[in-house]
Amino acid sequence: MKNFTLYLVILVFLFVSKVLGQETFESKASSIARKIERVTKEQKKILKEEVEAVNVQLSEGKITQEQADKRKKELAEARAVIIEEKVTLAQNELNDLVQQKVDGKIKEQDSSRIYMIRWERDKCNKDSIRGEKRTTSQFVFATGLNNMMIDGKLQDSNYSFIGSHFYEWGFTYNTRLMKNDNLLHAKYGLSLMYNNIRPTKNRSFVVDGDQTNLEVNTINLDESRFRNVYIVLPVHLEFDFTKPQVKDGKTYFRTHKSFRFGIGGYAGINVKSKQILKFEEEDLKYKTTIKGDYNVNNFIYGLSSYIGYRDISLYLKYDLNPLFKDNLVKENNISLGLRFDLN
């Protein structure tokens, strides 16, 4: 009954917000992030069912172990492609939302209305103030601009500043480090990270032995994009300034209700590198996807930090190792964008 009342109040709040045209940037962004979470969960569930079906065939002797392993790999790759496509659509939707915010097309939140809703929630549910578990979990989604740096200088002449972007999604655990203080938290988890760069001046990457060079393409390109996908383990020390609440002489701790900032880093492996070229010839449009290692480092590690309020943060990350293993000129990836941590 308590949960039903809370859900009902939330639904009323969203309905009123939409009717009055006052839906906030935060609520819209959170909605997009939850959409991505639903997509990943649905696809993982489907993949699990498909893999179980393959295991049944294997146990019944209808296929060999080698055939089963091959089929499972094909199924995993197919689901990964679907997730990537749907996440890209949501990421584009989020980019449009950020642009609307910059253009001032999204109105600010009506603070008096939200306080009224919170008061009604507490009135209906006397036990609504309660402490969280010491370790909680969040779905994380981040997106923004991506580029390269050489000797501390941004390479915005070599790569499109607006066209190059990154996005990241995954899950984290958040553990309060001190029993009776809410300030320090350890934040750790697993993420899938996509780094995209778009070369300028009609150039694309060409492999020459152990060197990977930017060269002018003989074809007039409509788009040149280089993407690297990583599985990473992020770890942060988070400072959460959410104040504890006291009721009936007891202290209750909450998280992600005030200003937060985190400092830390990440490490992981490269799982895919590919170059995407789009061009047009004789009124026919072509799209070429070229997969390979491109002399890209197999491992990635770097520093990252974020600062924000409640669920939304400004997010900065920088690779300490260069993108290409043996290039004479060392280029390091840098990203700046928005990060959403949804309990």
Side-chain angles (χ1 to χ4, degrees), residues 1-11:
M1 186 63 181
K2 295 175 182 177
N3 287 338
F4 174 77
T5 304
L6 177 59
Y7 293 152
L8 181 60
V9 171
I10 293 173
L11 286 174

Coordinates of all heavy atoms in Angstrom, one line a residue, residues 1-11:
M1 N 0.8 -1.2 0.0 CA 0.0 0.0 0.0 C 0.9 1.3 0.0 O 0.6 2.2 -0.7 CB -0.9 0.0 1.2 CG -1.9 1.1 1.2 SD -3.1 1.0 -0.2 CE -4.0 2.5 0.1
K2 N 2.0 1.2 0.8 CA 2.9 2.4 0.8 C 3.5 2.6 -0.5 O 3.6 3.8 -1.0 CB 4.0 2.1 1.9 CG 3.4 2.1 3.3 CD 4.5 1.7 4.3 CE 4.0 1.5 5.7 NZ 5.1 1.1 6.6
N3 N 4.0 1.6 -1.2 CA 4.6 1.7 -2.5 C 3.6 2.2 -3.5 O 3.9 3.0 -4.4 CB 5.2 0.4 -3.0 CG 6.4 0.0 -2.2 OD1 7.1 0.9 -1.6 ND2 6.8 -1.2 -2.1
F4 N 2.4 1.7 -3.4 CA 1.3 2.1 -4.4 C 1.1 3.6 -4.2 O 0.9 4.3 -5.2 CB 0.0 1.3 -4.1 CG -1.1 1.8 -5.0 CD1 -1.2 1.4 -6.3 CD2 -2.1 2.6 -4.4 CE1 -2.3 1.9 -7.1 CE2 -3.2 3.1 -5.2 CZ -3.2 2.7 -6.5
T5 N 1.0 4.1 -3.0 CA 0.7 5.5 -2.8 C 1.9 6.3 -3.3 O 1.6 7.4 -4.0 CB 0.6 5.8 -1.2 OG1 -0.4 5.0 -0.7 CG2 0.3 7.2 -1.0
L6 N 3.1 5.9 -3.1 CA 4.3 6.6 -3.7 C 4.2 6.7 -5.2 O 4.4 7.7 -5.8 CB 5.6 6.0 -3.2 CG 6.9 6.6 -3.7 CD1 7.0 8.1 -3.3 CD2 8.1 5.8 -3.2
Y7 N 3.9 5.5 -5.8 CA 3.9 5.5 -7.3 C 2.8 6.3 -7.8 O 2.9 7.0 -8.8 CB 3.7 4.0 -7.7 CG 4.8 3.1 -7.4 CD1 4.6 1.7 -7.3 CD2 6.1 3.6 -7.4 CE1 5.7 0.9 -7.0 CE2 7.2 2.7 -7.1 CZ 6.9 1.4 -6.9 OH 8.0 0.6 -6.6
L8 N 1.6 6.4 -7.1 CA 0.5 7.2 -7.5 C 0.9 8.6 -7.5 O 0.6 9.4 -8.4 CB -0.7 6.9 -6.6 CG -2.0 7.7 -7.0 CD1 -2.4 7.3 -8.4 CD2 -3.1 7.4 -6.0
V9 N 1.5 9.1 -6.4 CA 1.9 10.5 -6.3 C 2.9 10.8 -7.4 O 2.8 11.9 -8.1 CB 2.6 10.7 -4.9 CG1 3.2 12.1 -4.9 CG2 1.5 10.6 -3.9
I10 N 3.9 9.9 -7.7 CA 4.8 10.2 -8.8 C 4.1 10.3 -10.1 O 4.4 11.2 -10.9 CB 5.9 9.1 -8.8 CG1 6.8 9.1 -7.6 CG2 6.8 9.2 -10.1 CD1 7.7 8.0 -7.5
L11 N 3.2 9.4 -10.4 CA 2.4 9.5 -11.7 C 1.6 10.8 -11.8 O 1.6 11.4 -12.8 CB 1.5 8.3 -11.8 CG 2.1 6.9 -12.0 CD1 1.1 5.8 -12.0 CD2 2.8 6.9 -13.4

